[in-house]
PDB file of all heavy atoms in Angstrom:
ATOM      1  N   LEU A  26      82.153 157.970 205.486  1.00 96.00           N
ATOM      2  CA  LEU A  26      83.098 157.550 204.464  1.00 96.00           C
ATOM      3  C   LEU A  26      83.912 156.407 205.055  1.00 96.00           C
ATOM      4  O   LEU A  26      84.620 156.587 206.053  1.00 96.00           O
ATOM      5  CB  LEU A  26      84.004 158.694 204.034  1.00 96.00           C
ATOM      6  CG  LEU A  26      84.995 158.373 202.928  1.00 96.00           C
ATOM      7  CD1 LEU A  26      84.282 157.877 201.663  1.00 96.00           C
ATOM      8  CD2 LEU A  26      85.836 159.591 202.603  1.00 96.00           C
ATOM      9  N   CYS A  27      83.791 155.234 204.434  1.00 97.00           N
ATOM     10  CA  CYS A  27      84.369 154.020 205.009  1.00 97.00           C
ATOM     11  C   CYS A  27      85.417 153.405 204.084  1.00 97.00           C
ATOM     12  O   CYS A  27      85.192 153.299 202.878  1.00 97.00           O
ATOM     13  CB  CYS A  27      83.277 152.981 205.251  1.00 97.00           C
ATOM     14  SG  CYS A  27      81.866 153.602 206.208  1.00 97.00           S
ATOM     15  N   GLN A  28      86.528 153.010 204.682  1.00 97.00           N
ATOM     16  CA  GLN A  28      87.578 152.257 204.008  1.00 97.00           C
ATOM     17  C   GLN A  28      87.504 150.844 204.595  1.00 97.00           C
ATOM     18  O   GLN A  28      87.680 150.668 205.797  1.00 97.00           O
ATOM     19  CB  GLN A  28      88.954 152.855 204.292  1.00 97.00           C
ATOM     20  CG  GLN A  28      89.121 154.261 203.801  1.00 97.00           C
ATOM     21  CD  GLN A  28      89.330 154.323 202.300  1.00 97.00           C
ATOM     22  OE1 GLN A  28      89.838 153.400 201.693  1.00 97.00           O
ATOM     23  NE2 GLN A  28      88.921 155.425 201.702  1.00 97.00           N
ATOM     24  N   ILE A  29      87.236 149.863 203.743  1.00 97.00           N
ATOM     25  CA  ILE A  29      87.056 148.484 204.191  1.00 97.00           C
ATOM     26  C   ILE A  29      88.213 147.631 203.684  1.00 97.00           C
ATOM     27  O   ILE A  29      88.556 147.690 202.502  1.00 97.00           O
ATOM     28  CB  ILE A  29      85.704 147.925 203.689  1.00 97.00           C
ATOM     29  CG1 ILE A  29      84.536 148.888 204.022  1.00 97.00           C
ATOM     30  CG2 ILE A  29      85.445 146.534 204.249  1.00 97.00           C
ATOM     31  CD1 ILE A  29      84.318 149.152 205.485  1.00 97.00           C
ATOM     32  N   ASP A  30      88.802 146.838 204.566  1.00 96.00           N
ATOM     33  CA  ASP A  30      89.896 145.936 204.212  1.00 96.00           C
ATOM     34  C   ASP A  30      89.264 144.628 203.724  1.00 96.00           C
ATOM     35  O   ASP A  30      88.829 143.798 204.529  1.00 96.00           O
ATOM     36  CB  ASP A  30      90.787 145.702 205.433  1.00 96.00           C
ATOM     37  CG  ASP A  30      91.996 144.856 205.101  1.00 96.00           C
ATOM     38  OD1 ASP A  30      92.378 144.773 203.916  1.00 96.00           O
ATOM     39  OD2 ASP A  30      92.560 144.275 206.047  1.00 96.00           O
ATOM     40  N   VAL A  31      89.201 144.455 202.415  1.00 95.00           N
ATOM     41  CA  VAL A  31      88.468 143.345 201.822  1.00 95.00           C
ATOM     42  C   VAL A  31      89.408 142.293 201.251  1.00 95.00           C
ATOM     43  O   VAL A  31      90.084 142.543 200.250  1.00 95.00           O
ATOM     44  CB  VAL A  31      87.521 143.847 200.693  1.00 95.00           C
ATOM     45  CG1 VAL A  31      86.698 142.700 200.134  1.00 95.00           C
ATOM     46  CG2 VAL A  31      86.621 144.962 201.193  1.00 95.00           C
ATOM     47  N   PRO A  32      89.457 141.103 201.872  1.00 94.00           N
ATOM     48  CA  PRO A  32      90.224 140.012 201.275  1.00 94.00           C
ATOM     49  C   PRO A  32      89.590 139.596 199.940  1.00 94.00           C
ATOM     50  O   PRO A  32      88.379 139.760 199.744  1.00 94.00           O
ATOM     51  CB  PRO A  32      90.102 138.873 202.288  1.00 94.00           C
ATOM     52  CG  PRO A  32      89.549 139.476 203.525  1.00 94.00           C
ATOM     53  CD  PRO A  32      88.840 140.735 203.130  1.00 94.00           C
ATOM     54  N   TYR A  33      90.377 139.057 199.035  1.00 93.00           N
ATOM     55  CA  TYR A  33      89.878 138.682 197.717  1.00 93.00           C
ATOM     56  C   TYR A  33      88.672 137.737 197.810  1.00 93.00           C
ATOM     57  O   TYR A  33      87.723 137.863 197.049  1.00 93.00           O
ATOM     58  CB  TYR A  33      90.981 138.035 196.877  1.00 93.00           C
ATOM     59  CG  TYR A  33      90.521 137.698 195.474  1.00 93.00           C
ATOM     60  CD1 TYR A  33      90.378 138.701 194.524  1.00 93.00           C
ATOM     61  CD2 TYR A  33      90.191 136.394 195.133  1.00 93.00           C
ATOM     62  CE1 TYR A  33      89.919 138.412 193.250  1.00 93.00           C
ATOM     63  CE2 TYR A  33      89.734 136.100 193.859  1.00 93.00           C
ATOM     64  CZ  TYR A  33      89.607 137.106 192.915  1.00 93.00           C
ATOM     65  OH  TYR A  33      89.150 136.812 191.663  1.00 93.00           O
ATOM     66  N   SER A  34      88.683 136.830 198.754  1.00 92.00           N
ATOM     67  CA  SER A  34      87.582 135.869 198.888  1.00 92.00           C
ATOM     68  C   SER A  34      86.273 136.535 199.296  1.00 92.00           C
ATOM     69  O   SER A  34      85.212 135.922 199.195  1.00 92.00           O
ATOM     70  CB  SER A  34      87.943 134.792 199.916  1.00 92.00           C
ATOM     71  OG  SER A  34      88.096 135.372 201.198  1.00 92.00           O
ATOM     72  N   GLN A  35      86.326 137.778 199.730  1.00 94.00           N
ATOM     73  CA  GLN A  35      85.124 138.499 200.174  1.00 94.00           C
ATOM     74  C   GLN A  35      84.770 139.643 199.219  1.00 94.00           C
ATOM     75  O   GLN A  35      84.156 140.624 199.589  1.00 94.00           O
ATOM     76  CB  GLN A  35      85.359 139.054 201.591  1.00 94.00           C
ATOM     77  CG  GLN A  35      85.750 138.001 202.591  1.00 94.00           C
ATOM     78  CD  GLN A  35      84.716 136.912 202.739  1.00 94.00           C
ATOM     79  OE1 GLN A  35      83.558 137.178 203.029  1.00 94.00           O
ATOM     80  NE2 GLN A  35      85.120 135.667 202.521  1.00 94.00           N
ATOM     81  N   ARG A  36      85.124 139.505 197.960  1.00 89.00           N
ATOM     82  CA  ARG A  36      85.083 140.605 196.992  1.00 89.00           C
ATOM     83  C   ARG A  36      83.717 141.221 196.725  1.00 89.00           C
ATOM     84  O   ARG A  36      83.643 142.235 196.061  1.00 89.00           O
ATOM     85  CB  ARG A  36      85.751 140.185 195.701  1.00 89.00           C
ATOM     86  CG  ARG A  36      85.082 139.040 194.993  1.00 89.00           C
ATOM     87  CD  ARG A  36      85.976 138.503 193.878  1.00 89.00           C
ATOM     88  NE  ARG A  36      85.492 137.245 193.378  1.00 89.00           N
ATOM     89  CZ  ARG A  36      85.774 136.064 193.885  1.00 89.00           C
ATOM     90  NH1 ARG A  36      86.538 135.976 194.931  1.00 89.00           N
ATOM     91  NH2 ARG A  36      85.281 134.962 193.368  1.00 89.00           N
ATOM     92  N   TRP A  37      82.627 140.652 197.212  1.00 92.00           N
ATOM     93  CA  TRP A  37      81.329 141.313 197.074  1.00 92.00           C
ATOM     94  C   TRP A  37      81.163 142.454 198.067  1.00 92.00           C
ATOM     95  O   TRP A  37      80.228 143.217 198.014  1.00 92.00           O
ATOM     96  CB  TRP A  37      80.189 140.310 197.203  1.00 92.00           C
ATOM     97  CG  TRP A  37      79.924 139.596 195.911  1.00 92.00           C
ATOM     98  CD1 TRP A  37      80.263 138.311 195.601  1.00 92.00           C
ATOM     99  CD2 TRP A  37      79.293 140.134 194.747  1.00 92.00           C
ATOM    100  NE1 TRP A  37      79.871 138.028 194.308  1.00 92.00           N
ATOM    101  CE2 TRP A  37      79.265 139.124 193.763  1.00 92.00           C
ATOM    102  CE3 TRP A  37      78.745 141.389 194.437  1.00 92.00           C
ATOM    103  CZ2 TRP A  37      78.724 139.321 192.504  1.00 92.00           C
ATOM    104  CZ3 TRP A  37      78.199 141.579 193.178  1.00 92.00           C
ATOM    105  CH2 TRP A  37      78.198 140.557 192.234  1.00 92.00           C
ATOM    106  N   VAL A  38      82.077 142.575 199.005  1.00 96.00           N
ATOM    107  CA  VAL A  38      82.074 143.697 199.939  1.00 96.00           C
ATOM    108  C   VAL A  38      82.884 144.815 199.297  1.00 96.00           C
ATOM    109  O   VAL A  38      84.014 144.597 198.854  1.00 96.00           O
ATOM    110  CB  VAL A  38      82.687 143.290 201.299  1.00 96.00           C
ATOM    111  CG1 VAL A  38      82.783 144.498 202.217  1.00 96.00           C
ATOM    112  CG2 VAL A  38      81.867 142.179 201.937  1.00 96.00           C
ATOM    113  N   PRO A  39      82.344 146.031 199.226  1.00 95.00           N
ATOM    114  CA  PRO A  39      83.086 147.128 198.582  1.00 95.00           C
ATOM    115  C   PRO A  39      84.258 147.607 199.440  1.00 95.00           C
ATOM    116  O   PRO A  39      84.152 147.694 200.665  1.00 95.00           O
ATOM    117  CB  PRO A  39      82.034 148.235 198.438  1.00 95.00           C
ATOM    118  CG  PRO A  39      81.040 147.951 199.516  1.00 95.00           C
ATOM    119  CD  PRO A  39      81.018 146.455 199.679  1.00 95.00           C
ATOM    120  N   PRO A  40      85.388 147.954 198.804  1.00 96.00           N
ATOM    121  CA  PRO A  40      86.552 148.431 199.556  1.00 96.00           C
ATOM    122  C   PRO A  40      86.398 149.870 200.055  1.00 96.00           C
ATOM    123  O   PRO A  40      87.063 150.281 200.990  1.00 96.00           O
ATOM    124  CB  PRO A  40      87.687 148.330 198.543  1.00 96.00           C
ATOM    125  CG  PRO A  40      87.015 148.439 197.212  1.00 96.00           C
ATOM    126  CD  PRO A  40      85.671 147.799 197.387  1.00 96.00           C
ATOM    127  N   ILE A  41      85.537 150.615 199.424  1.00 97.00           N
ATOM    128  CA  ILE A  41      85.232 151.978 199.853  1.00 97.00           C
ATOM    129  C   ILE A  41      83.719 152.140 199.783  1.00 97.00           C
ATOM    130  O   ILE A  41      83.064 151.602 198.901  1.00 97.00           O
ATOM    131  CB  ILE A  41      85.964 153.040 199.001  1.00 97.00           C
ATOM    132  CG1 ILE A  41      85.792 154.416 199.625  1.00 97.00           C
ATOM    133  CG2 ILE A  41      85.519 153.003 197.557  1.00 97.00           C
ATOM    134  CD1 ILE A  41      86.763 155.453 199.094  1.00 97.00           C
ATOM    135  N   LEU A  42      83.187 152.862 200.743  1.00 95.00           N
ATOM    136  CA  LEU A  42      81.737 152.956 200.884  1.00 95.00           C
ATOM    137  C   LEU A  42      81.393 154.340 201.417  1.00 95.00           C
ATOM    138  O   LEU A  42      82.053 154.849 202.322  1.00 95.00           O
ATOM    139  CB  LEU A  42      81.286 151.874 201.874  1.00 95.00           C
ATOM    140  CG  LEU A  42      79.866 151.830 202.357  1.00 95.00           C
ATOM    141  CD1 LEU A  42      78.921 151.508 201.210  1.00 95.00           C
ATOM    142  CD2 LEU A  42      79.731 150.775 203.446  1.00 95.00           C
ATOM    143  N   PHE A  43      80.384 154.948 200.836  1.00 96.00           N
ATOM    144  CA  PHE A  43      79.892 156.219 201.337  1.00 96.00           C
ATOM    145  C   PHE A  43      78.406 156.086 201.627  1.00 96.00           C
ATOM    146  O   PHE A  43      77.633 155.636 200.775  1.00 96.00           O
ATOM    147  CB  PHE A  43      80.107 157.360 200.332  1.00 96.00           C
ATOM    148  CG  PHE A  43      79.565 158.659 200.838  1.00 96.00           C
ATOM    149  CD1 PHE A  43      80.240 159.372 201.808  1.00 96.00           C
ATOM    150  CD2 PHE A  43      78.358 159.136 200.384  1.00 96.00           C
ATOM    151  CE1 PHE A  43      79.720 160.564 202.311  1.00 96.00           C
ATOM    152  CE2 PHE A  43      77.834 160.329 200.864  1.00 96.00           C
ATOM    153  CZ  PHE A  43      78.518 161.039 201.829  1.00 96.00           C
ATOM    154  N   ILE A  44      78.008 156.455 202.849  1.00 96.00           N
ATOM    155  CA  ILE A  44      76.602 156.405 203.250  1.00 96.00           C
ATOM    156  C   ILE A  44      76.216 157.805 203.707  1.00 96.00           C
ATOM    157  O   ILE A  44      76.842 158.371 204.613  1.00 96.00           O
ATOM    158  CB  ILE A  44      76.370 155.409 204.397  1.00 96.00           C
ATOM    159  CG1 ILE A  44      76.808 154.009 203.982  1.00 96.00           C
ATOM    160  CG2 ILE A  44      74.902 155.423 204.828  1.00 96.00           C
ATOM    161  CD1 ILE A  44      76.847 153.006 205.120  1.00 96.00           C
ATOM    162  N   ALA A  45      75.206 158.381 203.074  1.00 94.00           N
ATOM    163  CA  ALA A  45      74.658 159.666 203.501  1.00 94.00           C
ATOM    164  C   ALA A  45      73.354 159.377 204.231  1.00 94.00           C
ATOM    165  O   ALA A  45      72.486 158.663 203.714  1.00 94.00           O
ATOM    166  CB  ALA A  45      74.403 160.565 202.293  1.00 94.00           C
ATOM    167  N   HIS A  46      73.222 159.921 205.431  1.00 94.00           N
ATOM    168  CA  HIS A  46      72.042 159.668 206.262  1.00 94.00           C
ATOM    169  C   HIS A  46      71.496 160.975 206.801  1.00 94.00           C
ATOM    170  O   HIS A  46      72.227 161.750 207.432  1.00 94.00           O
ATOM    171  CB  HIS A  46      72.418 158.732 207.420  1.00 94.00           C
ATOM    172  CG  HIS A  46      71.305 158.505 208.382  1.00 94.00           C
ATOM    173  ND1 HIS A  46      71.466 158.634 209.736  1.00 94.00           N
ATOM    174  CD2 HIS A  46      70.019 158.149 208.189  1.00 94.00           C
ATOM    175  CE1 HIS A  46      70.329 158.369 210.344  1.00 94.00           C
ATOM    176  NE2 HIS A  46      69.431 158.088 209.418  1.00 94.00           N
ATOM    177  N   ASP A  47      70.220 161.208 206.543  1.00 91.00           N
ATOM    178  CA  ASP A  47      69.535 162.379 207.071  1.00 91.00           C
ATOM    179  C   ASP A  47      68.539 161.881 208.117  1.00 91.00           C
ATOM    180  O   ASP A  47      67.469 161.393 207.764  1.00 91.00           O
ATOM    181  CB  ASP A  47      68.818 163.137 205.956  1.00 91.00           C
ATOM    182  CG  ASP A  47      68.219 164.445 206.428  1.00 91.00           C
ATOM    183  OD1 ASP A  47      68.074 164.637 207.655  1.00 91.00           O
ATOM    184  OD2 ASP A  47      67.886 165.277 205.572  1.00 91.00           O
ATOM    185  N   PRO A  48      68.877 161.952 209.401  1.00 91.00           N
ATOM    186  CA  PRO A  48      67.982 161.424 210.428  1.00 91.00           C
ATOM    187  C   PRO A  48      66.636 162.140 210.504  1.00 91.00           C
ATOM    188  O   PRO A  48      65.655 161.547 210.932  1.00 91.00           O
ATOM    189  CB  PRO A  48      68.766 161.571 211.729  1.00 91.00           C
ATOM    190  CG  PRO A  48      69.918 162.433 211.439  1.00 91.00           C
ATOM    191  CD  PRO A  48      70.108 162.486 209.954  1.00 91.00           C
ATOM    192  N   GLU A  49      66.599 163.386 210.073  1.00 88.00           N
ATOM    193  CA  GLU A  49      65.335 164.136 210.121  1.00 88.00           C
ATOM    194  C   GLU A  49      64.311 163.577 209.133  1.00 88.00           C
ATOM    195  O   GLU A  49      63.132 163.459 209.449  1.00 88.00           O
ATOM    196  CB  GLU A  49      65.598 165.615 209.843  1.00 88.00           C
ATOM    197  CG  GLU A  49      64.374 166.477 210.065  1.00 88.00           C
ATOM    198  CD  GLU A  49      64.702 167.952 209.929  1.00 88.00           C
ATOM    199  OE1 GLU A  49      65.544 168.447 210.710  1.00 88.00           O
ATOM    200  OE2 GLU A  49      64.128 168.595 209.026  1.00 88.00           O
ATOM    201  N   THR A  50      64.760 163.232 207.937  1.00 87.00           N
ATOM    202  CA  THR A  50      63.840 162.707 206.921  1.00 87.00           C
ATOM    203  C   THR A  50      63.875 161.182 206.827  1.00 87.00           C
ATOM    204  O   THR A  50      63.003 160.587 206.209  1.00 87.00           O
ATOM    205  CB  THR A  50      64.207 163.263 205.528  1.00 87.00           C
ATOM    206  OG1 THR A  50      65.510 162.784 205.170  1.00 87.00           O
ATOM    207  CG2 THR A  50      64.173 164.785 205.509  1.00 87.00           C
ATOM    208  N   GLY A  51      64.929 160.564 207.391  1.00 89.00           N
ATOM    209  CA  GLY A  51      65.094 159.126 207.288  1.00 89.00           C
ATOM    210  C   GLY A  51      65.752 158.682 205.994  1.00 89.00           C
ATOM    211  O   GLY A  51      65.972 157.500 205.765  1.00 89.00           O
ATOM    212  N   ARG A  52      66.108 159.623 205.159  1.00 90.00           N
ATOM    213  CA  ARG A  52      66.687 159.306 203.847  1.00 90.00           C
ATOM    214  C   ARG A  52      68.113 158.764 203.998  1.00 90.00           C
ATOM    215  O   ARG A  52      68.929 159.325 204.723  1.00 90.00           O
ATOM    216  CB  ARG A  52      66.684 160.554 202.987  1.00 90.00           C
ATOM    217  CG  ARG A  52      67.120 160.313 201.562  1.00 90.00           C
ATOM    218  CD  ARG A  52      66.804 161.519 200.710  1.00 90.00           C
ATOM    219  NE  ARG A  52      67.085 161.186 199.324  1.00 90.00           N
ATOM    220  CZ  ARG A  52      67.740 161.967 198.508  1.00 90.00           C
ATOM    221  NH1 ARG A  52      68.139 163.155 198.905  1.00 90.00           N
ATOM    222  NH2 ARG A  52      67.961 161.601 197.272  1.00 90.00           N
ATOM    223  N   VAL A  53      68.405 157.670 203.286  1.00 93.00           N
ATOM    224  CA  VAL A  53      69.737 157.062 203.264  1.00 93.00           C
ATOM    225  C   VAL A  53      70.110 156.828 201.807  1.00 93.00           C
ATOM    226  O   VAL A  53      69.326 156.261 201.039  1.00 93.00           O
ATOM    227  CB  VAL A  53      69.764 155.721 204.029  1.00 93.00           C
ATOM    228  CG1 VAL A  53      71.117 155.033 203.875  1.00 93.00           C
ATOM    229  CG2 VAL A  53      69.419 155.931 205.496  1.00 93.00           C
ATOM    230  N   VAL A  54      71.306 157.263 201.426  1.00 93.00           N
ATOM    231  CA  VAL A  54      71.827 157.043 200.074  1.00 93.00           C
ATOM    232  C   VAL A  54      73.197 156.393 200.230  1.00 93.00           C
ATOM    233  O   VAL A  54      74.017 156.850 201.017  1.00 93.00           O
ATOM    234  CB  VAL A  54      71.935 158.360 199.283  1.00 93.00           C
ATOM    235  CG1 VAL A  54      72.554 158.113 197.913  1.00 93.00           C
ATOM    236  CG2 VAL A  54      70.566 159.007 199.141  1.00 93.00           C
ATOM    237  N   VAL A  55      73.417 155.307 199.463  1.00 95.00           N
ATOM    238  CA  VAL A  55      74.658 154.542 199.549  1.00 95.00           C
ATOM    239  C   VAL A  55      75.349 154.555 198.199  1.00 95.00           C
ATOM    240  O   VAL A  55      74.721 154.325 197.159  1.00 95.00           O
ATOM    241  CB  VAL A  55      74.379 153.087 199.969  1.00 95.00           C
ATOM    242  CG1 VAL A  55      75.669 152.288 200.051  1.00 95.00           C
ATOM    243  CG2 VAL A  55      73.619 153.040 201.291  1.00 95.00           C
ATOM    244  N   SER A  56      76.655 154.805 198.226  1.00 94.00           N
ATOM    245  CA  SER A  56      77.454 154.772 197.003  1.00 94.00           C
ATOM    246  C   SER A  56      78.712 153.967 197.268  1.00 94.00           C
ATOM    247  O   SER A  56      79.400 154.182 198.261  1.00 94.00           O
ATOM    248  CB  SER A  56      77.813 156.194 196.571  1.00 94.00           C
ATOM    249  OG  SER A  56      78.517 156.164 195.351  1.00 94.00           O
ATOM    250  N   ASP A  57      78.972 153.031 196.376  1.00 94.00           N
ATOM    251  CA  ASP A  57      80.198 152.244 196.424  1.00 94.00           C
ATOM    252  C   ASP A  57      80.461 151.727 195.018  1.00 94.00           C
ATOM    253  O   ASP A  57      79.560 151.746 194.176  1.00 94.00           O
ATOM    254  CB  ASP A  57      80.104 151.109 197.451  1.00 94.00           C
ATOM    255  CG  ASP A  57      79.133 150.017 197.052  1.00 94.00           C
ATOM    256  OD1 ASP A  57      79.415 149.292 196.075  1.00 94.00           O
ATOM    257  OD2 ASP A  57      78.094 149.870 197.718  1.00 94.00           O
TER     258      ASP A  57
END
Side-chain angles (χ1 to χ4, degrees):
L26 182 58
C27 308
Q28 298 283 332
I29 310 299
D30 184 21
V31 183
Y33 183 76
S34 64
Q35 304 301 304
R36 63 192 168 274
W37 277 105
V38 175
I41 189 164
L42 172 66
F43 178 76
I44 301 170
H46 175 229
D47 186 343
E49 188 174 299
T50 64
R52 186 168 187 225
V53 174
V54 177
V55 180
S56 183
D57 69 68

